Amino acid sequence: MNHGTSLLWKQRALSSLSATRRGLPKEKMSENGMSRGKVLTIDNMNPTVKKVEYAVRGPIVQRAVELERELSEGMKKPFAEVIKANIGDAHAMGQQPITFFRQVLALCSYPELLSDSIFPEDAKNRARRILNSCGGNSMGAYSASQGIESVRQDVALYIERRDGGVPCDPDNIYLTTGASDGIVTMLKLLVCGEGAARAGVMISIPQYPLYSAALAELGAVQINYYLNEEKCWSLDISELQRALNEARRYCNPRALCIINPGNPTGQVQSRQCIEDVIRFAARERLFLMADEVYQDNVYAEGCQFHSFKKVLFEMGPEYSETVELASFHSTSKCYMGECGFRGGYMEIINMDEEVKAQLTKLLSVRLCPPVPGQALMDLVVNPPQPGEPSYERFISERTATLSALAEKAKLTEQVLNTVDGIRCNPVQGAMYSFPRIAIPEKAIKEATENGQQPDMFYCMKMLEETGICLVPGSGFGQKDGTYHFRMTILPPRDKLKILLNKVQEFHQRFTQQYS
């Protein structure tokens, strides 16, 4: 070692010693004496990412995965299996795919099958039409950034049928990677300003954690408005006004997000409520974002899905020509449950043309949404028609799936409401219940001492003792002093009964333990 190298090593050693004395981590040294400390550390990474939280796949779900592995390795537990009721993943819960959809996707993925007589002719014709719209007649080719034109045309026709003839321009349709992609993209366009001028976005509490996570990542201001649990999670305009007035003291409210039917609360908004929301948005100059991915999931008697766009246009030009609206749909929910294909669309109404050009530019950066997801979206909005070979089977499967969900929604409400200390509102729509739970003060104290939210403490104990994986209400937001959990109604009926019985038994045991 020459004198210069020796001196360098001594300097590095002294520096390391000094750092150790100051409580700083030692730098790793390479053979040539250069530092090998990490360029990216938890201290210098993007601070907004560290603020992102997503309860649906949070610590309790990670523990559920660990328990599954431990069971597979033969470890003894007080349960034989982990039942995950934490996420709206229909097929993972046992829901069967729609045959026609899978047939067409199989044909599109492997066109050699078009000569196979096992597939009905309408499925083959649909596959040929989709492939003819793809570059090189292959789903493996990129599409236009806005999505395949023929699919956007079919989406527009679907919206016109759904909304009783209200016109829909395919140029206002953007195919997306699930609804989430469209929602985050719109939020990116809306967020601007600094300090008291920073963009604020109004979201319902309880809310789907996508919204809070996206706003945290974008550095936007989250404005909470509370749904009324005492009135079946209804939306009150007076509460919107309260939240808006308070927020204007510290940010610039720009958008109002609505989830209808609701997640995690399962409410279905009345037409009158939607009209009131539109008037509020018009009066307060707010951009409306309508998350309508559960539009086929309506179960309660007297409830009906009304699209924001349909109501907007039926309110006349004063609103239909001025209120800016983006609405979202997906292949992941309803009767389809095809979460993994990541298909979706958004429709924009009354968007400034220059902003629309910027939206197209922004979407072009990610090239295009997955083409198989676009193909599936096409089938959802243009399913088999009466007289076609696949129609009867399609209608039978669709009806059976939605009927089963309606039965399980009622069953969930009924069983949970028999438990002293649990109160569950009617599951009017969507795929979840969000019951309120009474947690004894002794348990609240222990949870606080452990650095946990009381309902996280409750749900984690339930997981460890029963194998039931639910999501604590604190991950969705709730009024102070109230506690909830969210559970999906998706498991098969027999397994759902087991789940509900275990919840019932656990709550009684938990309450006795901490009384």
Side-chain angles (χ1 to χ4, degrees), residues 116-289:
D116 195 320
S117 60
I118 194 174
F119 293 94
E121 283 304 311
D122 55 344
K124 292 180 179 180
N125 291 336
R126 193 64 59 81
R128 292 187 185 101
R129 180 172 180 266
I130 291 170
L131 289 171
N132 287 338
S133 300
C134 296
N137 298 107
S138 171
M139 280 205 306
Y142 287 131
S143 76
S145 297
Q146 194 170 343
I148 297 171
E149 184 176 2
S150 64
V151 178
R152 291 189 291 110
Q153 291 170 347
D154 285 348
V155 170
L157 290 172
Y158 161 79
I159 292 172
E160 288 184 0
R161 290 193 303 272
R162 182 197 68 187
D163 292 345
V166 175
C168 181
D169 185 349
D171 285 342
N172 289 336
I173 302 297
Y174 292 79
L175 301 182
T176 56
T177 307
S180 303
D181 174 40
I183 291 165
V184 173
T185 298
M186 285 307 310
L187 291 174
K188 286 179 181 178
L189 293 179
L190 284 158
V191 173
C192 67
E194 298 294 337
R198 188 63 172 167
V201 177
M202 302 182 71
I203 65 171
S204 61
I205 299 296
Q207 54 103 21
Y208 178 51
L210 163 71
Y211 291 90
S212 56
L215 294 175
E217 184 179 359
L218 294 170
V221 179
Q222 176 179 317
I223 305 170
N224 297 337
Y225 66 88
Y226 289 86
L227 301 177
N228 189 338
E229 184 172 10
E230 308 308 318
K231 296 182 179 178
C232 204
W233 298 113
S234 63
L235 192 163
D236 296 331
I237 298 301
S238 60
E239 169 61 12
L240 287 180
Q241 194 69 61
R242 178 206 63 78
L244 182 72
N245 292 344
E246 288 186 9
R248 281 185 168 147
R249 299 180 200 159
Y250 55 84
C251 71
N252 176 26
R254 304 199 72 203
L256 169 59
C257 300
I258 307 288
I259 308 175
N260 181 47
N263 176 10
T265 43
Q267 84 284 4
V268 178
Q269 290 183 351
S270 68
R271 181 194 167 86
Q272 184 60 55
C273 177
I274 293 172
E275 284 190 18
D276 292 343
V277 169
I278 290 171
R279 290 191 183 93
F280 176 81
R283 182 175 73 247
E284 303 294 348
R285 291 185 51 77
L286 295 170
F287 192 106
L288 262 178
M289 295 175 61

Side-chain angles (χ1 to χ4, degrees), residues 332-347:
S332 300
K333 309 303 178 184
C334 298
Y335 63 93
M336 303 84 72
E338 295 279 11
C339 305
F341 279 98
R342 309 308 299 134
Y345 74 74
M346 66 177 174
E347 181 186 17

